[in-house]
Amino acid sequence: MFFGKRRLAIAFLTALCVLTIACNPAAQDDEPTGGREPAQQVNPETLEGELTVWGFGTDDVIGASRIEQFERAYPNVTVKLTPGEFDNQKFLSAVASGTPPDVIHIDRTIVGSFAARGALIPLGDYIEATNLDTRIFYDSAIEQVTVDGSIYGIPQFSNVVVAIINNTAMKEARLKVADVDFSDWAGLQKLNEQLSKADAGKVLRVGFDAGLPGFTPFWGASNGGAILSEDGTESLLDSPEVIAAVDFAAKTRDPVGGQEKYLGFSQSWDFFGSNNMYVRNQVGVGLFEQWYVGVLGDVSPDVDITVRPFTTHEGGEEISYSNGLAWAIPEEAGDTDAAFEFMKFMTATDTWVAAAEASRKDIEGKGGVYTGTYTANEEADRRIFKEIYEPTGNKSFDDAVEVILDAQEAAVSTPPSAAGEEVKRAWEDAANKVLLDELSAEEAMMEADEIAQRALDEASEGQG
Amino acid sequence: MTTGAETGERSRSRGQRTELFWALLFLSPWLAGFLVFTAGPMIASLALSFTDYDVLNSPSWTGLENYVELFRDENVVQSLGNTFFYAALHVPLSMGIALGLASLLQRAGRRANLFRTTFYLPSITPAVAVGVLWFWLLNPQVGLVNRGLHLIGIQGPGWTTDPAWIKPGIVLMSLWGLGNTVVIYYAALRNVPKELNDAAVVDGANSWQQFRYVTIPQISGVLFFTLIVGTIAALQLFAEVYTMYFRGQASGVSDEARFYIIYLFQQAFEFFRMGFASAMAWLLFVIIMIITAIQIKLSKRWVYYEGETG
């Protein structure tokens, strides 16, 4: 009798396990449905439907304006937004239960991972059917959403890295902006030491903020390297160029007493406020994404800064690094025609120009300085800076515009890969270990390379 | 022909069956919830722990591979080490401080209610808010904790930046929410019969002896409960630490703050390794079971239940 009960229990558990796996809607059909026939031409007036969009909100004017424009142009399409950052956990749960949203707004670094796992619809057919000219987008942005020759996402913004120089700190240290040479690492470290300031063990100013660990790929690129091969299958984290770049960038924390001191200080910055680190003279020269110039213009229009392009170590050519978000359609999304129309509309040149106009009015209405709207759409950027943006007379921000537009042209990006998040975690952890003096740059990057390569191999095996 | 005894037995067993039916009927909402929302997912995760599963595609059977990897992955070992370190500090400290506060409350007389509410309030603060708040409080350069230490001539450590102080900083933060335990201990202390302490006084016991030999045994059941529950909660710490060190941009010190559940979460939802994450969950389940079994075994030596004899 005992054995009977035990067998029954085992049989029940086995059946439940099999059922659990078999009932997973995501597991039932591995064939991507990207081959669905897209509508050739869509009439905005007659298109009907309800779109669920995850990872996008209307809490800023640029977002709100574009949603309003879409709702006006497509009166019979209802858009249901789930604001806040895109949530992987929620998305995976929705996919597992067979109820994914229609459109997702995700970091471009994750597009490759999702595409490799068949979670996104390739957009080639939709792009062709609706005559969307993808050449309007910056190359670096479109490359990040192109996996094995197929486009899986429509780029939204293009955030590029620029150097923001604090003129007040430069004057205090009797230095000239023209003397800042990013290709001369020895000179840069000397400048860093001159600009850094501490008193009784307390950091008062970071001379040069290299942006590690976040900008590790950018540092690698500026030294002629890359963290991944062009096809995204091979980790190059242990390449001499990347190791040397990380080694130097980590050493820029030395003048303030190392990473611990730096973190203690930087964690106290009023990053988005009117008492930000440029206003309070807490940074000499810092690498930031260009949107931060907009923040400074908005919250502290009187701040005295100069925006300069970063340059390669060898040759001193302008270089930047592009990152940002993209729109994508999940596999098994409900109405893919409406979803693609939405993505196309939200990134269209006219939509961006109208949103930029709304943003300018809003910022100027509040007494701030409109420093421009930078998108991943090159054509839109050209029109925004021709038709909407007007020099403000504030040299700090007026000069920045040209630098940022040039940085878009000079930007490189990391190619998509099937293990984007794991590769990112590997180089982040490695850079942290170097910053904390736990490992040398060589040891840390070799270790990271192994971890990243293993993840890439496992992910590509999974694809097969 | 049936005897009276047989008839009585039959009617008693009929009565028991009816009672069982009604008991099961009333229990059924909870049972259904337990089967669907707890037991079901647990069994599913057990099954998935033997597979390679990314949620987006079908699981594929990999046998014990995930379990073998658990012992090879240095991050699993490190995150377990971080978690044990935290639990070993947090559990005794929180129990000790909560007991101290509850004892003070007992002497607070009519003001006890006000203090009880004050102690309890932080426990209802959302975990994310606690994480954000303490990240500021513990800031080495401008945080209130180090400013306070500075006032008494102590150079505060890098609570959020120095790898050696990250975990002690997290323990300090965790003590913020011990109001729950204070309330439980306070209730237990009030239930200690006054006659026992009076008898101890007559026998010449001082305050410490009364506390050690009368109060502690009398509340040992409650102490044991909070020990078990506190240990399990400590081994599953997630939200506050994730908010402090893993939300958004890289914090720069992630290794020391990577607790077991955080690493499990990363494997499942950042790296799409649901099979491996399931194996991690089962390893933690086994660890918790072992620790709990040891605690139960040891409890026989120090936990006193009034209803039990011998």
Side-chain angles (χ1 to χ4, degrees), chain A residues 185 216 219-220 223 225-226 236-251 434 440-447 449:
Chain A
W185 285 358
T216 300
W219 274 99
N223 198 30
L236 302 174
L237 287 169
D238 63 345
S239 63
E241 294 86 0
V242 176
I243 291 172
V246 170
D247 185 49
F248 170 73
K251 285 196 172 83
V434 183
S440 70
E442 188 173 2
E443 289 165 339
M445 298 318 286
M446 300 275 255
E447 189 183 273
D449 182 71

Side-chain angles (χ1 to χ4, degrees), chain A residues 24 27 88 203 267 425 429, chain B residues 44 53 58 141 160 258 269-270:
Chain A
N24 170 18
N88 262 6
V203 183
Q267 284 167 2
R425 185 70 67 187
D429 285 353
Chain B
Y53 179 48
S58 313
Q141 195 153 324
T160 56
R258 189 183 286 132
F269 298 108
E270 288 180 20

Side-chain angles (χ1 to χ4, degrees), chain B residues 75-280:
Chain B
N75 287 326
V76 168
V77 179
Q78 194 196 21
S79 59
L80 261 183
N82 288 342
T83 309
F84 285 143
F85 180 96
Y86 166 78
L89 274 180
H90 165 81
V91 176
L93 271 177
S94 62
M95 286 177 70
I97 295 172
L99 188 56
L101 289 173
S103 302
L104 288 176
L105 268 183
Q106 212 187 4
R107 286 151 208 248
R110 287 166 59 191
R111 277 164 296 179
N113 282 346
L114 173 70
F115 285 115
R116 189 173 51 181
T117 310
T118 311
F119 291 150
Y120 190 73
L121 272 179
S123 332
I124 56 171
T125 315
V128 173
V130 173
V132 174
L133 174 73
W134 277 88
F135 198 63
W136 278 99
L137 290 176
L138 293 172
N139 181 282
Q141 195 153 324
V142 296
L144 281 183
V145 174
N146 276 6
R147 283 190 182 188
L149 289 173
H150 183 71
L151 287 179
I152 52 171
I154 297 172
Q155 167 86 37
W159 299 103
T160 56
T161 57
D162 181 347
W165 283 96
I166 299 274
K167 288 194 287 283
I170 292 169
V171 172
L172 191 62
M173 172 199 67
S174 72
L175 299 177
W176 166 266
L178 52 72
N180 225 348
T181 317
V182 174
V183 172
I184 293 172
Y185 287 168
Y186 178 57
L189 287 172
R190 290 184 66 175
N191 273 339
V192 176
K194 198 173 174 297
E195 308 84 64
L196 292 178
N197 276 314
D198 292 343
V201 172
V202 171
D203 288 343
N206 60 27
S207 297
W208 165 247
Q209 285 167 328
Q210 283 177 58
F211 184 73
R212 169 69 186 84
Y213 297 108
V214 177
T215 309
I216 293 287
Q218 284 293 312
I219 64 164
S220 58
V222 171
L223 290 175
F224 179 57
F225 165 74
T226 52
L227 173 69
I228 299 266
V229 172
T231 307
I232 294 172
L235 294 174
Q236 295 178 338
L237 183 72
F238 175 75
E240 293 91 336
V241 182
Y242 193 83
T243 307
M244 285 173 87
Y245 295 105
F246 295 90
R247 126 198 94 101
Q249 291 298 307
S251 63
V253 283
S254 54
D255 265 9
E256 293 303 316
R258 189 183 286 132
F259 283 43
Y260 192 77
I261 296 290
I262 289 174
Y263 190 53
L264 187 157
F265 180 85
Q266 287 178 330
Q267 291 295 323
F269 298 108
E270 288 180 20
F271 306 155
F272 313 105
R273 302 184 69 206
M274 209 56 81
F276 183 66
S278 297
M280 284 186 71

Side-chain angles (χ1 to χ4, degrees), chain A residues 164-165 167-168 171 279 293-307 363-364 367-372 374 385 389-404:
Chain A
I164 305 179
I165 299 171
N167 295 337
T168 311
K171 278 175 208 154
V279 169
V293 177
V295 172
L296 293 177
D298 197 2
V299 299
S300 52
D302 298 327
V303 71
D304 189 10
I305 56 165
T306 302
V307 177
I363 291 173
E364 288 178 354
V369 172
Y370 177 68
T371 57
Y374 301 90
F385 286 95
Y389 172 79
E390 281 169 18
T392 58
N394 183 329
K395 192 169 163 42
S396 290
F397 295 101
D398 290 349
D399 291 352
V401 169
E402 276 307 307
V403 174
I404 294 168

Side-chain angles (χ1 to χ4, degrees), chain A residues 21-40:
Chain A
I21 294 171
C23 285
N24 170 18
Q28 286 172 5
D29 180 13
D30 285 348
E31 284 300 307
T33 53
R36 273 178 284 196
E37 278 294 302
Q40 288 298 311

